[in-house]
Amino acid sequence: MGRLQVIDHPLIQHKITLIRDKDTGPKDFRDLVGEVAMLMAYEVTRDMAVDTVTVETPIGPAVGKQLSGKKVGIVAILRAGLGMVDGVLRLIPAAKVGHIGLYRDPNTLRPVEYYCKLPPDVADRQLIMLDPMLATGGSACAAIQFAKDRGATSIKLVNLIAAPEGIHLVQTTHPDVDIYVAAVDERLNSHGYIVPGLGDAGDRLFGTK
Ligand code: PRP
Ligand code: URA
């Protein structure tokens, strides 16, 4: 089963509280989502491979470390995953960025696909898949399957807030995928929204609705 890591650094918890607040408007919401994504990326990349190298400082040789493992691909699950991309790119500026377009049918709660564009060498990359919300898990599972169908073999899923139902679905459907979240909430309501969650992440990011 995939590992679940709850990244509960005090800075992240503080920002998640502000993000949840219904009085936080779109600009602050966007800024905070980006900041939390950046802070989470620090932990998500902790196991990156490094080689030992030597560089010349103005004083003499220094032994240091240099990233050496798979290149990174960031995958945003549209729309709300877009809000996390810039934050992660600030830490990994060389990463290529893919997009998977999915929306959740409000009646069936099943994901509906409308777009997929991934880097061509996706099989050789460590993919970091971004979506603020993991609710039923349907969207995440579909996005992971999209990427696998195109050759991806190494995927990490990063969400701000997750429901136990979504974590369970991803862990059982894609046991090779590690999940990183900032908070695990109580449950889903009858409309498939996370309780207490933060409401509709896409609408709050982009000011729609
Ligand atoms: C939200 C969210 C996830 C999905 C989570 O997207 O950003 O992608 O719902 O729900 P699930 O785990 O039950 O699938 P939404 O469908 O609202 O689309 P949007 O980002 O375009 O607003
Ligand atoms: N999508 C959201 O944006 N929020 C939820 O709580 C569930 C799905």
Side-chain angles (χ1 to χ4, degrees), residues 19-20 24-26 29-30 33 77-84 104 130-135 159-161 192-194 196-209:
I19 285 172
R20 289 186 192 276
T24 299
F29 189 90
R30 270 195 300 276
V33 167
I77 302 179
L78 303 179
R79 281 179 303 168
L82 285 175
M84 300 172 72
R104 206 170 62 152
L130 305 176
D131 193 331
M133 310 306 280
L134 181 63
N159 309 109
L160 303 193
I161 300 181
Y193 277 88
I194 299 174
L198 52 72
D200 188 303
D203 284 342
R204 293 197 60 190
L205 270 172
F206 299 112
T208 45
K209 210 177 233 174

Side-chain angles (χ1 to χ4, degrees), residues 77 102 104 109-111 129 131 133-145 157 159 161-174 179 188 192-194:
I77 302 179
L102 294 169
R104 206 170 62 152
L109 299 184
R110 293 297 308 148
M129 201 166 270
D131 193 331
M133 310 306 280
L134 181 63
T136 64
S139 302
C141 284
I144 292 166
Q145 193 58 53
L157 175 67
N159 309 109
I161 300 181
E165 294 89 331
I167 293 168
H168 179 74
L169 189 69
V170 173
Q171 285 185 325
T172 50
T173 311
H174 297 287
I179 308 171
L188 298 177
Y193 277 88
I194 299 174

